[in-house]
Amino acid sequence: LPITSDYHTNLSDASYQGGNWSIQADGLHSDATNQGDTFLFTTSKGKNFVYSTDIHLNSNTGAPGLLFKSNNNLTSKEAYAVNIDASSMHVKMWRWHEGEAMQLMDEYAIEKSANDTYTLKVVVIDNWIQYYVNDRLITSLGDFTLQRDDKGQPTAIGDGYYGLINWNANATYQNTYYQEISDNTDARIKDIDVTSTGTVEQKPDFNPNEPTRIQYVRNDASSVTIHVTPNNPNAIITAFDQNGNPLSSLENVALNEG
Protein backbone atom coordinates (compact mmCIF):
# COMPACT_ATOMS: atom_id res chain seq x y z
CA LEU A 1 0.00 0.00 0.00
CA PRO A 2 1.83 3.16 -1.16
CA ILE A 3 1.69 5.93 1.47
CA THR A 4 0.87 9.33 -0.03
CA SER A 5 0.84 12.83 1.46
CA ASP A 6 -2.93 12.64 2.06
CA TYR A 7 -2.22 10.29 4.97
CA HIS A 8 -0.14 12.10 7.59
CA THR A 9 2.16 9.49 9.12
CA ASN A 10 5.78 8.49 9.63
CA LEU A 11 5.04 4.77 9.20
CA SER A 12 6.99 3.02 6.44
CA ASP A 13 6.29 0.29 3.88
CA ALA A 14 2.65 -0.45 4.68
CA SER A 15 0.89 -3.66 3.67
CA TYR A 16 -2.46 -5.05 4.76
CA GLN A 17 -4.16 -8.36 5.43
CA GLY A 18 -7.95 -8.49 5.10
CA GLY A 19 -10.53 -5.81 4.39
CA ASN A 20 -10.13 -2.88 2.04
CA TRP A 21 -7.47 -0.26 2.86
CA SER A 22 -6.87 2.80 0.69
CA ILE A 23 -5.51 6.31 1.08
CA GLN A 24 -8.00 9.00 0.13
CA ALA A 25 -8.08 12.79 0.45
CA ASP A 26 -8.92 12.72 4.17
CA GLY A 27 -6.57 9.91 5.23
CA LEU A 28 -6.30 6.13 5.36
CA HIS A 29 -9.67 4.46 4.84
CA SER A 30 -10.28 0.97 6.15
CA ASP A 31 -13.47 -0.95 5.49
CA ALA A 32 -13.56 -4.24 7.38
CA THR A 33 -17.34 -4.59 7.49
CA ASN A 34 -18.16 -8.25 8.21
CA GLN A 35 -14.47 -9.15 7.70
CA GLY A 36 -13.44 -9.81 11.32
CA ASP A 37 -9.88 -8.84 12.27
CA THR A 38 -7.98 -7.02 9.53
CA PHE A 39 -4.47 -5.62 9.84
CA LEU A 40 -2.15 -2.97 8.46
CA PHE A 41 1.49 -3.97 8.89
CA THR A 42 4.57 -1.74 8.50
CA THR A 43 8.35 -2.10 8.69
CA SER A 44 8.62 0.68 11.32
CA LYS A 45 9.78 -0.83 14.60
CA GLY A 46 10.09 0.35 18.20
CA LYS A 47 10.75 -0.61 21.81
CA ASN A 48 10.00 2.44 23.98
CA PHE A 49 7.74 5.00 22.32
CA VAL A 50 4.64 7.17 22.07
CA TYR A 51 2.31 5.97 19.30
CA SER A 52 -0.99 7.63 18.37
CA THR A 53 -3.58 8.08 15.65
CA ASP A 54 -6.83 9.95 15.01
CA ILE A 55 -9.69 7.63 14.09
CA HIS A 56 -12.95 8.80 12.52
CA LEU A 57 -15.76 6.25 12.78
CA ASN A 58 -17.66 6.05 9.51
CA SER A 59 -20.14 3.52 10.91
CA ASN A 60 -21.55 2.52 14.30
CA THR A 61 -20.23 -1.05 14.18
CA GLY A 62 -16.84 -2.66 14.60
CA ALA A 63 -13.70 -1.61 16.44
CA PRO A 64 -10.62 0.05 14.88
CA GLY A 65 -7.39 0.62 16.79
CA LEU A 66 -3.61 0.58 17.14
CA LEU A 67 -1.31 -2.42 16.79
CA PHE A 68 2.18 -2.24 18.33
CA LYS A 69 5.20 -4.41 19.13
CA SER A 70 3.85 -6.78 16.48
CA ASN A 71 5.77 -9.61 14.84
CA ASN A 72 3.69 -9.12 11.64
CA ASN A 73 2.91 -12.84 11.62
CA LEU A 74 -0.75 -13.88 11.38
CA THR A 75 0.08 -17.56 11.88
CA SER A 76 1.54 -17.08 15.37
CA LYS A 77 0.69 -13.52 16.35
CA GLU A 78 2.75 -11.68 18.97
CA ALA A 79 1.51 -8.12 19.45
CA TYR A 80 -0.30 -5.61 21.64
CA ALA A 81 -3.43 -3.78 20.54
CA VAL A 82 -5.90 -1.16 21.74
CA ASN A 83 -9.19 -0.23 20.13
CA ILE A 84 -12.48 1.60 20.41
CA ASP A 85 -15.81 -0.15 19.81
CA ALA A 86 -18.10 1.99 17.65
CA SER A 87 -21.32 0.38 18.88
CA SER A 88 -20.72 0.14 22.65
CA MET A 89 -18.28 3.07 23.06
CA HIS A 90 -16.05 0.73 25.05
CA VAL A 91 -12.27 0.68 24.76
CA LYS A 92 -9.95 -2.20 25.55
CA MET A 93 -6.36 -3.41 25.45
CA TRP A 94 -5.13 -6.93 24.77
CA ARG A 95 -2.21 -8.86 23.37
CA TRP A 96 -1.52 -11.99 21.40
CA HIS A 97 0.91 -14.62 22.62
CA GLU A 98 1.59 -17.52 20.24
CA GLY A 99 -1.58 -16.55 18.41
CA GLU A 100 -3.81 -16.56 21.50
CA ALA A 101 -5.54 -13.29 22.44
CA MET A 102 -5.31 -12.29 26.11
CA GLN A 103 -7.19 -9.33 27.57
CA LEU A 104 -5.00 -6.93 29.57
CA MET A 105 -7.75 -4.72 31.02
CA ASP A 106 -11.48 -4.77 31.59
CA GLU A 107 -13.43 -2.92 28.90
CA TYR A 108 -13.99 0.72 29.78
CA ALA A 109 -16.85 2.97 28.62
CA ILE A 110 -16.05 6.42 27.22
CA GLU A 111 -18.25 9.31 26.13
CA LYS A 112 -19.29 9.51 22.49
CA SER A 113 -17.54 12.26 20.56
CA ALA A 114 -19.68 14.88 18.83
CA ASN A 115 -17.76 14.46 15.55
CA ASP A 116 -17.14 10.70 15.81
CA THR A 117 -13.36 11.29 15.86
CA TYR A 118 -11.12 9.90 18.60
CA THR A 119 -7.39 10.11 19.31
CA LEU A 120 -5.93 6.82 20.54
CA LYS A 121 -2.46 6.94 22.09
CA VAL A 122 -0.17 4.50 23.87
CA VAL A 123 2.98 5.32 25.83
CA VAL A 124 5.21 2.26 26.15
CA ILE A 125 8.36 1.88 28.25
CA ASP A 126 9.59 -1.72 28.58
CA ASN A 127 6.69 -3.67 30.22
CA TRP A 128 4.77 -0.52 31.16
CA ILE A 129 1.90 0.53 28.88
CA GLN A 130 -0.34 3.58 29.23
CA TYR A 131 -3.44 3.93 27.06
CA TYR A 132 -5.10 7.31 26.39
CA VAL A 133 -8.26 8.24 24.49
CA ASN A 134 -8.62 11.94 23.63
CA ASP A 135 -5.75 12.64 26.06
CA ARG A 136 -7.59 10.96 28.93
CA LEU A 137 -5.67 8.18 30.65
CA ILE A 138 -7.69 4.96 30.41
CA THR A 139 -5.24 2.53 32.00
CA SER A 140 -1.65 2.30 33.16
CA LEU A 141 -0.43 -1.26 33.57
CA GLY A 142 2.46 -3.65 33.37
CA ASP A 143 2.32 -6.74 31.19
CA PHE A 144 2.59 -9.43 33.83
CA THR A 145 0.14 -11.65 35.69
CA LEU A 146 -1.99 -9.74 38.18
CA GLN A 147 -4.04 -11.57 40.77
CA ARG A 148 -7.02 -11.88 41.18
CA ASP A 149 -8.25 -11.71 37.59
CA ASP A 150 -5.01 -12.93 35.97
CA LYS A 151 -4.95 -10.21 33.32
CA GLY A 152 -1.80 -10.59 31.25
CA GLN A 153 1.00 -13.16 31.52
CA PRO A 154 4.77 -13.30 32.10
CA THR A 155 6.03 -13.10 28.50
CA ALA A 156 6.12 -9.39 27.73
CA ILE A 157 7.19 -8.40 24.20
CA GLY A 158 10.45 -6.43 24.06
CA ASP A 159 10.04 -4.72 20.70
CA GLY A 160 8.16 -5.05 17.44
CA TYR A 161 6.49 -3.31 14.53
CA TYR A 162 3.87 -0.57 14.50
CA GLY A 163 0.59 -1.21 12.72
CA LEU A 164 -3.17 -0.76 12.75
CA ILE A 165 -6.08 -3.09 13.37
CA ASN A 166 -9.70 -2.96 12.29
CA TRP A 167 -12.37 -5.41 13.42
CA ASN A 168 -15.56 -5.16 11.33
CA ALA A 169 -15.49 -1.34 11.24
CA ASN A 170 -15.51 1.32 8.57
CA ALA A 171 -13.04 3.95 9.76
CA THR A 172 -10.57 6.60 8.63
CA TYR A 173 -7.11 6.92 10.19
CA GLN A 174 -5.18 10.18 10.13
CA ASN A 175 -2.14 11.68 11.91
CA THR A 176 -0.63 8.30 12.75
CA TYR A 177 2.76 8.91 14.31
CA TYR A 178 5.27 7.19 16.57
CA GLN A 179 8.05 8.86 18.53
CA GLU A 180 10.83 6.91 20.16
CA ILE A 181 11.38 7.75 23.84
CA SER A 182 14.95 8.94 24.48
CA ASP A 183 16.72 10.14 27.61
CA ASN A 184 15.55 13.66 26.76
CA THR A 185 11.90 12.62 26.50
CA ASP A 186 11.79 9.97 29.23
CA ALA A 187 9.16 11.18 31.73
CA ARG A 188 9.55 8.34 34.21
CA ILE A 189 9.95 9.07 37.90
CA LYS A 190 13.30 8.21 39.48
CA ASP A 191 12.00 8.25 43.04
CA ILE A 192 8.88 9.15 45.01
CA ASP A 193 8.37 9.51 48.75
CA VAL A 194 5.54 10.58 51.04
CA THR A 195 5.90 12.54 54.28
CA SER A 196 3.29 13.74 56.74
CA THR A 197 2.80 15.22 60.19
CA GLY A 198 1.10 11.90 60.88
CA THR A 199 2.53 8.38 60.71
CA VAL A 200 3.77 7.11 57.33
CA GLU A 201 4.79 3.51 56.70
CA GLN A 202 8.40 2.82 55.82
CA LYS A 203 9.05 3.57 52.18
CA PRO A 204 9.41 0.40 50.06
CA ASP A 205 11.93 0.06 47.24
CA PHE A 206 11.00 2.10 44.20
CA ASN A 207 10.80 0.74 40.65
CA PRO A 208 10.46 3.43 37.93
CA ASN A 209 8.55 0.99 35.68
CA GLU A 210 5.86 0.05 38.20
CA PRO A 211 2.43 1.25 37.02
CA THR A 212 1.05 1.68 40.56
CA ARG A 213 2.69 2.98 43.74
CA ILE A 214 1.21 2.61 47.24
CA GLN A 215 2.57 4.02 50.49
CA TYR A 216 0.20 3.91 53.46
CA VAL A 217 -0.36 6.47 56.21
CA ARG A 218 -2.23 5.97 59.48
CA ASN A 219 -5.41 7.75 60.46
CA ASP A 220 -3.46 10.29 62.52
CA ALA A 221 -2.37 11.88 59.20
CA SER A 222 -4.65 14.62 57.86
CA SER A 223 -2.43 15.56 54.91
CA VAL A 224 0.67 14.39 53.05
CA THR A 225 3.47 15.94 51.02
CA ILE A 226 4.57 14.05 47.92
CA HIS A 227 8.26 14.28 47.03
CA VAL A 228 8.95 13.39 43.39
CA THR A 229 12.33 13.06 41.70
CA PRO A 230 11.88 12.88 37.90
CA ASN A 231 14.29 11.07 35.62
CA ASN A 232 14.27 14.12 33.36
CA PRO A 233 14.65 17.54 35.08
CA ASN A 234 12.36 19.05 32.42
CA ALA A 235 9.49 16.71 33.26
CA ILE A 236 6.26 18.32 34.51
CA ILE A 237 4.80 16.51 37.53
CA THR A 238 1.04 16.77 38.10
CA ALA A 239 -1.11 15.07 40.74
CA PHE A 240 -4.89 14.73 40.61
CA ASP A 241 -7.67 14.39 43.17
CA GLN A 242 -10.21 11.57 43.17
CA ASN A 243 -12.35 13.46 40.65
CA GLY A 244 -9.52 13.85 38.14
CA ASN A 245 -8.88 17.52 38.92
CA PRO A 246 -5.21 18.63 39.02
CA LEU A 247 -3.84 19.67 42.41
CA SER A 248 -2.23 23.08 42.68
CA SER A 249 0.62 21.73 44.81
CA LEU A 250 2.13 18.45 46.02
CA GLU A 251 2.62 19.91 49.52
CA ASN A 252 0.16 19.35 52.36
CA VAL A 253 -2.37 17.51 50.21
CA ALA A 254 -5.48 16.85 52.29
CA LEU A 255 -6.19 13.12 52.39
CA ASN A 256 -9.81 13.65 51.41
CA GLU A 257 -8.50 15.25 48.16
CA GLY A 258 -5.79 12.84 47.00
Side-chain angles (χ1 to χ4, degrees):
L1 176 67
I3 295 177
T4 69
S5 59
D6 289 324
Y7 178 38
H8 307 149
T9 184
N10 59 350
L11 297 174
S12 300
D13 299 325
S15 62
Y16 63 90
Q17 296 287 335
N20 295 308
W21 300 72
S22 63
I23 295 176
Q24 301 179 25
D26 56 348
L28 173 63
H29 281 240
S30 175
D31 186 358
T33 305
N34 298 323
Q35 299 292 310
D37 280 335
T38 66
F39 300 87
L40 182 92
F41 295 138
T42 77
T43 59
S44 301
K45 192 174 185 179
K47 178 180 179 181
N48 297 327
F49 51 82
V50 179
Y51 182 38
S52 64
T53 192
D54 297 334
I55 296 178
H56 181 78
L57 301 176
N58 302 319
S59 67
N60 59 1
T61 60
L66 292 171
L67 186 73
F68 52 101
K69 289 194 175 182
S70 168
N71 65 351
N72 291 354
N73 185 339
L74 291 179
T75 303
S76 182
K77 289 190 290 291
E78 298 281 349
Y80 296 100
V82 297
N83 71 5
I84 177 170
D85 191 301
S87 60
S88 66
M89 283 292 105
H90 285 189
V91 296
K92 67 178 182 178
M93 177 193 298
W94 73 100
R95 65 155 294 178
W96 284 279
H97 173 56
E98 296 180 347
E100 180 181 354
M102 302 176 180
Q103 188 174 343
L104 294 178
M105 59 170 276
D106 293 328
E107 294 186 16
Y108 184 84
I110 64 168
E111 293 184 3
K112 182 176 175 60
S113 168
N115 62 359
D116 290 325
T117 299
Y118 304 84
T119 300
L120 276 57
K121 178 175 71 175
V122 292
V123 180
V124 180
I125 301 178
D126 298 330
N127 295 6
W128 185 11
I129 306 172
Q130 296 177 327
Y131 177 27
Y132 296 80
V133 177
N134 294 340
D135 287 327
R136 178 181 178 182
L137 179 63
I138 301 300
T139 189
S140 175
L141 54 81
D143 181 22
F144 42 73
T145 299
L146 297 175
Q147 304 297 328
R148 102 213 111 174
D149 295 322
D150 288 336
K151 306 291 186 194
Q153 33 55 56
T155 53
I157 303 172
D159 60 14
Y161 298 100
Y162 304 102
L164 300 170
I165 185 171
N166 185 0
W167 177 79
N168 287 337
N170 187 316
T172 303
Y173 300 80
Q174 187 59 283
N175 301 317
T176 308
Y177 291 101
Y178 66 89
Q179 179 181 359
E180 292 291 320
I181 294 176
S182 65
D183 290 340
N184 292 331
T185 58
D186 188 344
R188 280 179 295 179
I189 294 171
K190 185 181 297 183
D191 194 21
I192 187 170
D193 193 18
V194 174
T195 59
S196 173
T197 55
T199 305
V200 181
E201 74 166 1
Q202 182 177 353
K203 174 188 160 187
D205 292 337
F206 182 77
N207 180 348
N209 284 357
E210 60 188 3
T212 303
R213 176 72 169 177
I214 298 175
Q215 190 170 354
Y216 292 101
V217 297
R218 293 188 177 178
N219 57 10
D220 61 351
S222 59
S223 65
V224 296
T225 295
I226 305 169
H227 307 272
V228 178
T229 304
N231 184 67
N232 186 330
N234 297 319
I236 298 173
I237 306 299
T238 306
F240 298 86
D241 65 18
Q242 67 268 32
N243 297 316
N245 301 311
L247 300 177
S248 59
S249 172
L250 299 183
E251 297 183 2
N252 299 317
V253 178
L255 290 183
N256 61 351
E257 294 182 4

